Each structure stands twice: as C-alpha cells, then as structure tokens.
C-alpha cells in the first residue's frame, strides 16, 4: 500500500519560532520521489521541493530545510525563524515513478504563524 | 510555475446541471493530470493523459465524469448531473522532466460549488 501520513493537523507558532512539519510515508517501490507543496489561502499549490529516493542528502533553501531519512520513511520539513507569510497548508506527497507517476498526498498540516 | 491555465476559476451550479472545466497548457506537456481536492483534504488523483491518450482513471471518477484531451493539447473535465458531493477544487497538473527526475506542477485550480 502507498500512503503518506502527516500526523500534525494544525500547528500554531509565534513569528521567529522554528517549526518542523512531519511526514511519514509507506511504499514498496524502490524508486520514488517525495514532494512538499505549500497551499496559501489563495488556494494554489506551490511546489517547494522534490527528493529522490536514492538521494538522502538533506537540503537547505534559505529558511527552509528538509530531512529525508529512508530508514524511518520520513521526510520532515523545517522552517527556521518562521514568518507570518509562511502561514499556509503544507502537503507532503509521494510520487510513484514505477507506473503512472501520480502523486499520493498526505492530509496536510495547517501552519499558523502569529505575529 | 503555472504552466497551465484553468477556466473557469470559480463555478456555482445547481444540482443536476452539467459543468465543464478546461485546462490549457502554456507550453507543450506530454503528461497532464486531473486532481480533486475537497475541503480539509489533500488532492486526490482522478486521471491522466499521455499526449491524447487517457492512460489511467481513478475509481473516484464515476460514470458522470469524463475527461478528454483532443490532439494532446488542452484538456477538459466534464461532470454530468452534478451532485453536492462534487463540490471541490479541480486541479490540472503537468509534469516536467529533468535529468534528476520529474516534478509535477499544478494550475490555480477551478472551484466548483454545487447548490
């Protein structure tokens, strides 16, 4: 079974705090991709990052960083020094490259950053 | 990166009416996807096209739903005899490949409200 679990439904932090969004996935595929998307109140899904299953290097992009651990099937997302503009729903997704390449999404984590 | 344009952006319709959504790629994309997102949930895969061929349909796509992609360019998603449960955002997505892998980008979505 292919599944993505985002156990945190809602997180509320105060501006400048660091926050980590958890993502755990299940797949039997040996080759796959993991994604994070941001959905601000405007509704569009904004691509943030793609990670290949064979590349376990962590990545940092400005205030954003991602920790991919294949041993625990996790792909967590950390925002450092959060800002009000980071308030959004964040989705983790699994891409099955073995056949159709369709995305399987988690249920999302709503992040509220208060001033 | 909105490489597709979706119309209409918002649609309110009475139960039982038919609606059609259109997705226009800004540039050529071999693969086009349709997803549906209901309130509080992550997007769910509906169907996808490889050029003009519809290669997979989710079980979510009942007989009232039909999608086409004539000539491998724009795509349409039609819902016949709409029901209140069809109220959702319908997302068109495209796939862009690179040497390191494929990324799926989403359009701005079409909101459907069935009253």
């Amino acid at each position: 079974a292919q599944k993505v679990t985002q156990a945190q439904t809602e997180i509320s932090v105060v501006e400048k705090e660091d926050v980590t969004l958890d993502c755990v996935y299940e797949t039997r595929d040996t080759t796959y991709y993991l994604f994070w998307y941001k959905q601000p109140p405007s509704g569009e899904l904004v691509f943030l990052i793609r990670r290949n299953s064979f590349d376990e290097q962590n990545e940092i992009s400005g205030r954003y960083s991602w920790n991919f651990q294949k041993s625990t099937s996790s792909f967590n997302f950390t925002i450092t020094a959060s800002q009000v503009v980071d308030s959004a729903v964040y989705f983790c997704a699994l891409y099955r490259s073995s056949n159709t390449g369709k995305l399987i999404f988690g249920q999302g984590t709503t992040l509220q950053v208060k001033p | 990166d909105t490489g597709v344009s979706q119309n209409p952006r918002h649609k309110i319709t009475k139960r039982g009416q038919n609606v059609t959504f259109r997705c226009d790629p800004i540039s050529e994309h071999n693969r086009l996807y349709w997803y549906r997102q209901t309130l509080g949930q992550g997007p769910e895969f509906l169907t996808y096209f490889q050029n003009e061929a519809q290669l997979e349909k989710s079980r979510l796509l009942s007989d009232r739903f039909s999608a086409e992609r004539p000539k491998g360019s724009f795509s349409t998603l039609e819902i016949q005899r709409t029901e209140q449960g069809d109220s959702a955002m319908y997302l068109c997505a495209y796939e862009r490949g690179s040497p390191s892998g494929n990324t799926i980008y989403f359009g701005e979505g079409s909101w459907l409200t069935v009253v």
Side-chain angles (χ1 to χ4, degrees), chain A residues 74-89:
Chain A
S74 66
F75 186 42
N76 297 337
F77 173 29
T78 297
I79 301 174
T80 303
S82 59
Q83 299 177 1
V84 173
V85 293
D86 295 327
S87 297
V89 182

Side-chain angles (χ1 to χ4, degrees), chain B residues 2 5 7 14 24 28 30 32 35 38 43 47 51 54 56-57 67 78 82 87 89 91 109 113-115:
Chain B
T2 51
S5 173
N7 289 288
K14 290 184 178 179
D24 282 274
E28 286 190 11
N30 289 339
L32 268 190
Y35 284 77
T38 53
T47 188
N51 299 315
Q54 187 175 17
E56 184 171 341
K57 293 196 298 184
E78 181 184 15
T82 52
S87 296
M89 181 163 68
L91 292 154
T113 301
V114 182
V115 298

Side-chain angles (χ1 to χ4, degrees), chain B residues 10-71:
Chain B
H10 300 272
K11 178 74 176 177
I12 300 174
T13 191
K14 290 184 178 179
R15 191 176 53 172
Q17 298 293 304
N18 298 343
V19 296
T20 299
F21 298 110
R22 178 172 169 131
C23 173
D24 282 274
I26 294 174
S27 55
E28 286 190 11
H29 303 298
N30 289 339
R31 284 189 177 181
L32 268 190
Y33 298 80
W34 284 99
Y35 284 77
R36 181 176 72 182
Q37 185 179 19
T38 53
L39 278 176
Q41 302 294 319
E44 296 173 293
F45 169 81
L46 290 180
T47 188
Y48 96 101
F49 292 86
Q50 177 81 30
N51 299 315
E52 67 273 14
Q54 187 175 17
L55 295 187
E56 184 171 341
K57 293 196 298 184
S58 163
R59 56 181 172 77
L60 295 174
L61 222 62
S62 74
D63 292 343
R64 297 184 297 106
F65 288 71
S66 62
E68 294 182 343
R69 193 183 181 197
K71 301 180 183 178

Side-chain angles (χ1 to χ4, degrees), chain A residues 8-78:
Chain A
Q8 304 149 309
T9 305
E10 293 184 20
I11 300 176
S12 181
V13 299
V14 177
E15 208 170 18
K16 297 184 183 177
E17 284 185 10
D18 298 347
V19 58
T20 295
L21 310 181
D22 297 333
C23 173
V24 175
Y25 64 92
E26 296 175 29
T27 182
R28 291 179 182 167
D29 294 348
T30 54
T31 302
Y32 52 89
Y33 301 132
L34 295 164
F35 290 77
W36 276 96
Y37 290 88
K38 175 182 180 180
Q39 190 170 44
S42 58
E44 63 182 289
L45 271 169
V46 179
F47 164 75
L48 293 178
I49 189 172
R50 182 197 71 229
R51 172 61 67 213
N52 302 342
S53 56
F54 48 82
D55 180 3
E56 290 193 64
Q57 282 189 347
N58 292 328
E59 183 157 339
I60 298 175
S61 177
R63 297 184 297 108
Y64 295 171
S65 62
W66 291 269
N67 184 321
F68 175 35
Q69 293 200 346
K70 214 168 177 178
S71 59
T72 56
S73 297
S74 66
F75 186 42
N76 297 337
F77 173 29
T78 297

